[in-house]
Amino acid sequence: MKKNLSVAELQNSEWPKLFEEALGDNLVSAFVHGDCLMEGFSALESPWTVSFILKSNSVEDMLPLQKLTQKAKYDNIQFNHVFSRFEIKSSQDVFPLEFLHIKSKNVTLCGEAPLADFSPNLAELRIECERELRGLLVHLRRAFLYIKEDRHPHGIYVRSQPTLLPLLYGVYFLATGNYPENHDQVYEMFPGVRIPNATSDKNVLLNDVNKYIEAVTTIVNQVDAMKV
């Protein structure tokens, strides 16, 4: 497996040309985004995530990409979303947070910068953040009920963070008008959701989990009360 260890290596690899040759005039943008652009990412452990914007993303028009999936896997690249321009325009009210993430944290491999003109509707963004946070709370409370049966009860934090942090990026944007530069900025605003140190003391663990769930509940209530 070939390892492109940095975004710059990926940009200077054969892949931009492969995308242009495979997709031709149908290509609008090919770009890296997601967790692979966040701190802590290691290309030795996880793949680069590449998504696309096409003029048409019909099954027939995606066939050239399908032919590249095996080579991409060998080169530690994972294809993710394949949007069309129309799809992006018509679903901004449904996925304001996802599009905010893409616009704010991406590296273009070829074509135009993705969602360069996108600005989320704040009311729609607030609703999505609240809805998803409330859903997370449902799962956290259920996990708490079974925490004594969990072999690794500290995992209640670890399992919830990949869902929680992207939502808090959206809440941070709602509160400040700016997209966070890193996780630390988010934790500074919401210190109660930092993962505490692992402990074998059950009383301490239960107290920490209680504080964690209370912190998420407080954030939900803050989002619910936002006037945007």
Side-chain angles (χ1 to χ4, degrees):
M1 180 182 291
K2 181 180 179 181
K3 294 286 187 179
N4 293 291
L5 298 181
S6 69
V7 172
E9 287 186 21
L10 192 57
Q11 287 178 302
N12 292 323
S13 71
E14 63 180 330
W15 278 99
K17 185 176 181 181
L18 286 174
F19 293 143
E20 291 174 340
E21 290 177 345
L23 296 168
D25 292 339
N26 194 37
L27 175 67
V28 176
S29 180
F31 56 94
V32 180
H33 70 109
D35 290 342
C36 59
L37 297 183
M38 295 294 185
E39 68 264 32
F41 171 77
S42 170
L44 294 173
E45 300 174 359
S46 304
W48 296 99
T49 304
V50 178
S51 287
F52 305 88
I53 301 174
L54 307 179
K55 294 176 183 176
S56 169
N57 63 345
S58 68
V59 169
E60 182 179 356
D61 289 322
M62 287 194 298
L63 284 176
L65 275 180
Q66 187 185 58
K67 296 176 182 178
L68 292 175
T69 55
Q70 286 300 313
K71 177 175 175 54
K73 183 178 181 179
Y74 180 80
D75 285 2
N76 200 38
I77 296 170
Q78 184 178 68
F79 297 163
N80 196 7
H81 307 304
V82 183
F83 298 110
S84 70
R85 278 176 164 166
F86 173 78
E87 193 172 32
I88 289 175
K89 184 177 181 180
S90 61
S91 58
Q92 291 182 10
D93 59 333
V94 181
F95 302 120
L97 179 60
E98 289 78 3
F99 289 159
L100 174 64
H101 287 314
I102 290 173
K103 176 185 177 176
S104 303
K105 206 84 170 179
N106 74 78
V107 173
T108 305
L109 295 179
C110 52
E112 62 187 47
L115 282 85
D117 298 326
F118 172 73
S119 181
N121 179 291
L122 296 183
E124 293 165 352
L125 178 61
R126 189 205 67 76
I127 289 173
E128 182 178 9
C129 288
E130 181 182 352
R131 181 180 64 246
E132 297 301 321
L133 282 167
R134 289 192 184 279
L136 176 61
L137 267 179
V138 170
H139 291 287
L140 284 173
R141 293 190 180 109
R142 184 182 186 281
F144 177 78
L145 292 177
Y146 291 93
I147 195 169
K148 292 183 179 180
E149 300 176 16
D150 195 332
R151 291 184 179 181
H152 305 287
H154 194 71
I156 193 171
Y157 308 110
V158 177
R159 290 189 294 270
S160 66
Q161 286 284 303
T163 299
L164 178 61
L165 272 174
L167 296 173
L168 295 186
Y169 269 64
V171 179
Y172 186 102
F173 184 87
L174 285 168
T176 67
N178 297 309
Y179 191 84
E181 294 181 7
N182 49 49
H183 293 348
D184 282 341
Q185 279 194 341
V186 174
Y187 287 132
E188 286 174 9
M189 179 174 284
F190 308 109
V193 299
R194 283 186 182 271
I195 299 178
N197 294 326
T199 177
S200 59
D201 187 315
K202 290 184 178 180
N203 290 328
V204 173
L205 174 64
L206 292 175
N207 187 54
D208 285 346
V209 171
N210 179 54
K211 290 179 179 178
Y212 185 76
I213 294 176
E214 284 185 347
V216 176
T217 302
T218 297
I219 294 169
V220 171
N221 292 334
Q222 290 173 345
V223 174
D224 181 60
M226 281 182 173
K227 306 295 183 182
V228 295

